Amino acid sequence: VQFVESGGGLVQPGGSLRLSCASSRDISLFYRMEWHRQAPGKQRELVAHISRDLEVHYLDSVQGRFTISRDNNINTIYLQMNSLKPEDTANYFCHTSSVPDDWGQGTQVTVSS
C-alpha cells in the first residue's frame, strides 16, 4: 500500500495544521490507521491511532491538542493539530499495522517563531 502525506509546513508556536494521508488501498480493510512522527536524532513514535470502529488513542503529549479522523469513502486519514509546540517539530507519517512494512515519505512539520 502507498501512503501520500500532505499538509505540513512551518507554523508559529500556538498555531494549527491539518495533515492528510491518502491511501492507495481501501482503508476500510485496515482495522487501525496511525500517525507517527520522527524528529531528527530521535526514534519514530506513535502519535495517534484510530480503529475501524472509530476508537482513538493519543500520545500523552498531544492529548487534547491533536485529533485523528478517517474518511473511508476517500481512503484518507487526517490529523488536526492545534496549539502546536516546538517539540512537535518532526516528519509525520501515516501507517497501518495491517501492512507494517509500508511507509510514505511523510510530511514535515516545523514549529518555530
Side-chain angles (χ1 to χ4, degrees):
V1 61
Q2 292 181 325
F3 296 116
V4 179
E5 300 92 343
S6 61
L10 174 63
V11 63
Q12 292 186 341
S16 298
L17 286 173
R18 188 191 193 209
L19 306 184
S20 300
C21 171
S23 168
S24 64
R25 289 179 59 186
D26 182 355
I27 64 170
S28 66
L29 298 174
F30 308 139
Y31 177 71
R32 192 171 95 171
M33 295 297 302
E34 305 158 358
W35 281 102
H36 297 248
R37 68 186 181 188
Q38 187 167 20
K42 295 187 177 181
Q43 289 191 336
R44 190 170 294 179
E45 61 181 355
L46 176 61
V47 175
H49 62 79
I50 183 168
S51 68
R52 189 184 294 134
D53 54 6
L54 304 184
E55 181 177 350
V56 298
H57 176 81
Y58 298 97
L59 184 68
D60 285 348
S61 61
V62 308
Q63 179 76 45
R65 300 188 296 121
F66 290 10
T67 303
I68 188 171
S69 59
R70 63 192 289 170
D71 187 340
N72 290 349
N73 293 324
I74 58 172
N75 299 322
T76 298
I77 67 167
Y78 303 96
L79 187 67
Q80 177 67 44
M81 306 186 298
N82 299 327
S83 303
L84 283 161
K85 304 176 180 181
E87 52 264 42
D88 295 318
T89 295
N91 200 12
Y92 284 71
F93 303 86
C94 66
H95 182 257
T96 176
S97 52
S98 300
V99 190
D101 292 335
D102 290 353
W103 294 86
Q105 294 299 307
T107 185
Q108 178 66 36
V109 172
T110 303
V111 185
S112 175
S113 54

